[in-house]
Amino acid sequence: MAKAVCDRLFINAHLATMTKGDEPYGAIDADSLAISGEKISWMGLAESGAPEAREVIDIEGRWMTPGLIDCHTHLVYAGNRAQEFEMSLNGATYEEIAAKGGGILSTVKATREASESDLAAESQIRLEAMMAAGVTTVEIKSGYGLDLENEVKMLEAAKHLGEINPVRVVKTFLGAHALPPEFAGDSDGYMAKVIHEMLPTIHALGLVDAIDAFCEKIAFSEDQVRQLFKAADKLNIPIKLHAEQLSNQRGAELAAHFKALSADHLEYIDERGVKEMAKAGTVAVILPGAFYYLRETQKPPIELFRKYNVPLALATDCNPGSSPTTNPQLMMNMAAVLFRMTPEESLAGFTRNAARALGLSDKIGTLEIGKQADLAIWDIEHPSELTQAIGANPLHSRYFGGHK
C-alpha cells in the first residue's frame, strides 16, 4: 500500500497546540506537522511515521502555534482622532468628548465621506500590520456608517479585504454602535430603523456573519438591544455585545440570555453577570487596549471569570478613538501586566478562546488534525515570550490555509 503523501511537512519544530489539557500551551511530544490541502493532516515525531511530503520545511527548533485570531476590531474606518486624544490628556472624559460631537460620531463623519475603495485602501494598511504580527483571522465590525448605505459600504470593504488578502475576515454588523446626528434625541426611532430596515437588508446581501451592539448609557439601553437581538435571533444571526464597559447595564446577562458568542469589555460586570455568561457558554472578550488608552481604573474581574470557567479571549479592539493599535503581542502584555492574566491565558485569548468568540472553534484556534492549517512560526525559546516582551514581533513566518 502506498504511503500517504502530504503537501508540506514541517520538521524540527516545537508545537504549542493550544488545546486545553494538562500540558502548558498544549505542548505535545512531537516535532513535526503535516499539511494536506488547507488542513493539518498529521502531527508527531518525524522519526516515527512521518508522511512523505512534496515539500519539507525545516523550522530549526522554532515554536509553532495556531495563527492568531483578533476577535474584536473596528478595522475599517476613515480619518483619525488624534485631537481627541489630546483632549483626553487635558482631562476630558469619554462621555464629554462624545457629547461635543467627538468620539464615534467624528469617525462616522469621516467614514461617510470616504468611498468604499478609499476605506479599503486605508484599512489595508492596518490589516497588513496585523498579518505581519501573525494574525490569520480578524473580525471586522461596521458601526461608523450608521445608515444603510454607509453600513453596507463598510461591510463591503471588509469583505473585499478578505477576498484580496490571505486572511479570514468575519463581518459583524454594528449598526447599533451610536446614535447618528440625524436621529439626535430619538434612539427608539433609530433602533427601529436598524431592526426593520438595515438588519434585514444587510442580511439579505450576505454581509453579516454576526451582529453586535453597544449597551451603555451613552449608547443603547438593555431594552432597545433586546429588541435588536430578538430580530437577529429570528434570522439565526450569531450575537455579540459591547457590555459593561463604562457601567453595569446588565448587558452581559442579556447577551447570555440570547446565547451570545461573546460579551466584550466587561470592566463593570458583577458576579451575577459572570454566572449567567458561564451558564450560556458566552466568551468574555477582554480589551486591555481600550482600558489603557482611556485610562480606566475599573478592571474586568478576571478572578470571577476563572472561578466560573468563563473562557477569556483577547483582542486589539483596533479603532481610531480608544484603542488605535494593530498589535496583538502588546495586548497580551497589557493583559498580563494590567489584569494579571497568565502568559498561557493571554496566548489562549488570541487562539483557542478567540476562535470560540467567533463561533469558529471547530475550524481554527488550535493545532489539531482536521483543522485549518493557519499557523504562526516564532523566533522564540518559549511561548511565554509572546506575552513577556512589550510589543515585540518575533514572527518568523505565517501560513494561512497551508500557504505562506
Side-chain angles (χ1 to χ4, degrees):
M1 185 175 179
K3 193 173 183 180
V5 178
C6 66
D7 292 313
R8 289 178 188 82
L9 177 66
F10 295 91
I11 62 172
N12 294 326
H14 295 291
L15 302 182
T17 68
M18 298 311 297
T19 53
K20 197 171 183 180
D22 296 332
E23 295 300 319
Y25 301 94
I28 59 174
D29 184 21
D31 62 6
S32 302
L33 178 145
I35 297 172
S36 297
E38 296 186 347
K39 296 184 178 181
I40 299 169
S41 57
W42 179 86
M43 294 186 294
L45 294 170
E47 62 186 21
S48 58
E52 294 182 7
R54 295 180 178 87
E55 180 183 13
V56 176
I57 302 168
D58 187 347
I59 64 171
E60 301 176 330
R62 296 180 175 90
W63 279 87
M64 178 185 290
T65 71
L68 302 186
I69 301 164
D70 199 341
C71 65
H72 180 130
T73 87
H74 305 256
L75 184 81
V76 171
Y77 62 85
N80 71 73
R81 281 154 52 187
Q83 288 182 324
E84 294 171 26
F85 175 61
E86 191 168 16
M87 289 171 63
S88 175
L89 292 176
N90 286 327
T93 66
Y94 190 85
E95 291 91 338
E96 288 169 344
I97 292 171
K100 292 179 180 179
I104 292 170
L105 291 184
S106 63
T107 301
V108 170
K109 183 176 185 295
T111 300
R112 286 180 171 183
E113 292 172 353
S115 67
E116 182 184 323
S117 60
D118 288 341
L119 272 181
E122 186 173 340
S123 302
Q124 174 72 22
I125 297 168
R126 293 185 282 271
L127 182 58
E128 287 175 357
M130 284 183 176
M131 292 190 293
V135 171
T136 51
T137 296
V138 58
E139 184 252 22
I140 300 177
K141 303 179 190 295
S142 66
Y144 294 130
L146 305 185
D147 62 22
L148 179 59
E149 177 186 356
N150 288 292
E151 289 291 296
V152 168
K153 180 176 70 178
M154 289 187 69
L155 292 166
E156 289 282 12
K159 179 183 176 183
H160 178 68
L161 291 173
E163 291 171 343
I164 66 170
N165 291 284
V167 67
R168 181 179 297 98
V169 170
V170 176
K171 304 176 296 299
T172 298
F173 172 51
L174 181 56
H177 193 197
L179 195 61
E182 59 269 23
F183 278 87
D186 186 16
S187 59
D188 285 337
Y190 177 65
M191 184 60 83
K193 183 180 180 69
V194 171
I195 292 170
H196 298 297
E197 178 186 342
M198 296 166 70
L199 176 61
T201 302
I202 289 170
H203 178 256
L205 291 171
L207 291 173
V208 55
D209 299 314
I211 192 169
D212 196 352
F214 189 14
C215 186
E216 190 52 72
K217 291 178 181 178
I218 63 171
F220 299 96
S221 70
E222 178 189 1
D223 185 61
Q224 289 170 329
V225 174
R226 180 181 291 107
Q227 300 312 310
L228 174 62
F229 284 178
K230 284 180 180 178
D233 202 36
K234 288 180 181 178
L235 294 171
N236 294 314
I237 300 172
I239 287 166
K240 300 169 71 68
L241 184 65
H242 286 61
E244 275 71 273
Q245 181 183 8
L246 305 173
S247 62
N248 190 346
Q249 300 296 304
R250 301 290 171 197
E253 293 171 46
L254 175 65
H257 175 77
F258 283 92
K259 307 295 183 185
L261 292 173
S262 73
D264 304 23
H265 287 289
L266 301 171
E267 283 88 338
Y268 285 84
I269 195 172
D270 60 16
E271 188 165 10
R272 190 174 98 186
V274 173
K275 289 169 72 173
E276 291 304 310
M277 288 180 65
K279 290 177 187 176
T282 298
V283 176
V285 178
I286 306 301
L287 302 170
F291 174 90
Y292 164 82
Y293 201 81
L294 298 176
R295 295 180 294 165
E296 297 290 346
T297 57
Q298 178 85 11
K299 298 179 181 180
I302 301 301
E303 285 297 338
L304 277 179
F305 292 127
R306 289 172 177 154
K307 177 180 177 181
Y308 291 102
N309 295 313
V310 174
L312 293 168
L314 288 173
T316 62
D317 191 16
C318 172
N319 76 77
S322 63
S323 191
T325 182
T326 56
N327 192 324
Q329 281 84 42
L330 180 58
M331 297 303 99
M332 291 184 208
N333 181 268
M334 285 185 177
V337 173
L338 299 175
F339 303 149
R340 293 295 187 262
M341 287 177 63
T342 68
E344 185 176 1
E345 285 176 326
S346 297
L347 185 53
F350 269 103
T351 53
R352 179 180 72 239
N353 292 336
R356 186 168 173 179
L358 296 178
L360 295 174
S361 56
D362 60 331
K363 298 179 176 65
I364 57 174
T366 56
L367 302 183
E368 295 182 83
I369 293 171
K371 286 199 172 181
Q372 186 84 0
D374 295 352
L375 315 171
I377 299 170
W378 308 95
D379 276 316
I380 55 176
E381 295 182 4
H382 191 271
S384 61
E385 292 178 42
L386 296 176
T387 297
Q388 181 266 338
I390 300 175
N393 183 15
L395 186 74
H396 173 266
S397 53
R398 167 192 176 280
Y399 288 78
F400 174 68
H403 299 280
K404 194 170 182 178

